[in-house]
């Protein structure tokens, strides 16, 4: 009996424990779904990894290396960035520009309104006039003393170029190399020049020039006195000029006066044409051969719009003429073909001091022949003239041909008078 009670108690003690054990297990079973929530999303993660691996495999199968693919990506990004920047600038830049334009227009309108009336506009105009007056006073070019006289018995106009003072400095060293050119408008046929005065802003010339012209024709002429700065390596610069209408001058008695130089109107250089010359020198024989080959684009000298050109060759030594020769005349042409050779005997010791002066003339039966243009080579020459002469000496016994641009006769004569530096 006692054993049965003990067993019963033991069961009673064991039976309540079972539900507690099972009750404890229930939360574990309820919590299992919570612990398996991430695996519920695991298929999506698996798909991402699968797509990534597939993309990398596809890239790996491409024929391009990885660095090339990276470069393509970078280029695409740069292009996209540039397009974005351009669109941004186009959209927002116009607005800023229109604002500036509007402000400028408004400012111009205000200025126009201020200048239109009122004391403010008058003051601004007065200031401008004063400024222009100061600029004119600062542009002093110097003054020139000259004399005029007319010889009625010989029908000659006598022009004396005496001296100049306070000329404008045209060179880098603060000086000028002045000379004066004298001619009559409108024909410009005969031009005279003084000697070049080196590095002198107050030169003394004391030179006289004569124009043979009837007194009845003199009233329609304008006497021009132009002061130039001589430049050996480029075009001569005009310092200033004086224009004297001859109908305003009383030539009954000689006159002498000073006048201020005025700004000269810049005229485009007149094209006179080109001449092709061949030079050949044989040192052992001391023989210089000059071949006048042809000329082109010569200036029209006749009424019909053509010319009758011929070429004159002058050989000079120490400024003195040694020999002169000329070609035949080619009628009614501006592009003559000569192909005529002339020989001169010049010892090798003198070849460095020789000058060859080439002048193209227009032949005239009734009057004097008019010079179309001029050039020279040899001692004291510059540019193409010096280059041609040097090539001839560097290639003895071989003819060397060269085209030369014709220059005005007075410019070449002035260059021949100046001793080389």
């Amino acid at each position: 009996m006692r054993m049965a009670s003990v067993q019963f108690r033991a069961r009673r003690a064991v039976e309540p424990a079972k539900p507690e054990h099972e009750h404890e297990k229930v939360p574990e079973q309820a919590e299992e779904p919570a612990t398996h929530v991430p695996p519920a999303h695991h298929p999506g993660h698996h798909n991402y990894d699968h797509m990534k691996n597939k993309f990398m495999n596809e890239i790996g199968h491409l024929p391009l290396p990885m660095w090339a693919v990276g470069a393509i990506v970078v280029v695409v990004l740069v292009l996209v960035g540039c397009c974005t920047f351009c669109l941004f600038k186009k959209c927002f830049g116009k607005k800023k520009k229109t604002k500036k334009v509007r402000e400028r227009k408004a400012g111009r309108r205000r200025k126009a309104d201020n200048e239109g009336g009122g004391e403010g506009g008058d003051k601004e105009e007065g200031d401008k006039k004063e400024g222009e007056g100061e600029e004119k006073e600062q542009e002093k070019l110097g003054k020139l003393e000259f004399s005029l006289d007319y010889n009625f018995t010989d029908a000659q106009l006598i022009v004396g170029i005496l001296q100049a003072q306070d000329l404008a400095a045209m060179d880098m060293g603060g000086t000028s190399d002045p000379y004066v050119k004298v001619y009559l408008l409108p024909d410009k046929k005969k031009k005279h020049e003084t000697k070049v005065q080196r590095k002198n802003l107050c030169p003394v010339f004391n030179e006289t020039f004569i124009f043979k012209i009837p007194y009845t024709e003199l009233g329609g002429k304008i006497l021009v006195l132009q002061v130039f700065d001589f430049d050996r390596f480029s075009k001569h610069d005009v310092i200033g000029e004086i224009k004297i209408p001859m109908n305003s001058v009383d030539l009954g008695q000689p006159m002498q006066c000073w006048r201020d130089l005025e700004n000269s109107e810049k005229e485009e250089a007149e094209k006179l044409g080109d001449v092709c010359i061949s030079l050949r020198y044989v040192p052992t024989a001391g023989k210089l051969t000059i071949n006048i080959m042809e000329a082109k684009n010569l200036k029209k000298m006749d009424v019909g719009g053509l010319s009758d050109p011929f070429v004159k060759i002058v050989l000079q030594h120490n400024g003195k003429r040694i020999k002169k020769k000329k070609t035949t005349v080619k009628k009614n042409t501006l592009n003559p073909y000569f192909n005529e050779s002339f020989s001169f005997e010049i010892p090798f010791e003198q070849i460095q001091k020789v000058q060859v002066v080439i002048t193209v003339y227009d032949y005239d039966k009734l009057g004097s022949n008019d010079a179309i243009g001029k050039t020279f080579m040899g001692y004291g020459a510059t540019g193409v003239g010096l280059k041609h002469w040097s090539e001839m000496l560097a290639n003895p016994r071989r003819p060397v041909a060269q085209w030369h641009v014709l220059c005005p006769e007075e410019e070449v004569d002035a260059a021949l008078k100046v001793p080389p530096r």
Side-chain angles (χ1 to χ4, degrees), residues 280-284 392 395-399:
R280 179 174 178 264
Y281 183 68
V282 181
T284 54
M392 178 198 72
N395 298 277
R397 300 180 182 84
R398 287 178 54 190

Side-chain angles (χ1 to χ4, degrees), residues 217-282:
E217 298 178 8
L218 192 60
K221 305 293 183 182
I222 298 175
L223 179 65
V224 181
L225 311 177
Q226 276 186 325
V227 182
F228 283 85
D229 171 47
F230 175 81
D231 195 336
R232 178 173 291 278
F233 301 103
S234 64
K235 187 179 178 181
H236 305 165
D237 298 320
V238 181
I239 299 176
E241 70 177 12
I242 299 171
K243 288 185 176 180
I244 307 166
M246 297 309 298
N247 57 7
S248 64
V249 179
D250 182 13
L251 295 175
Q253 55 185 358
M255 63 169 289
Q256 182 174 330
C257 65
W258 284 91
R259 279 204 190 175
D260 292 330
L261 296 175
E262 299 177 355
N263 283 319
S264 177
E265 296 178 359
K266 292 184 178 179
E267 298 180 358
E268 294 184 0
E270 189 178 18
K271 293 182 179 179
L272 305 176
D274 306 278
V275 59
C276 185
I277 305 166
S278 173
L279 300 177
R280 179 174 178 264
Y281 183 68
V282 181

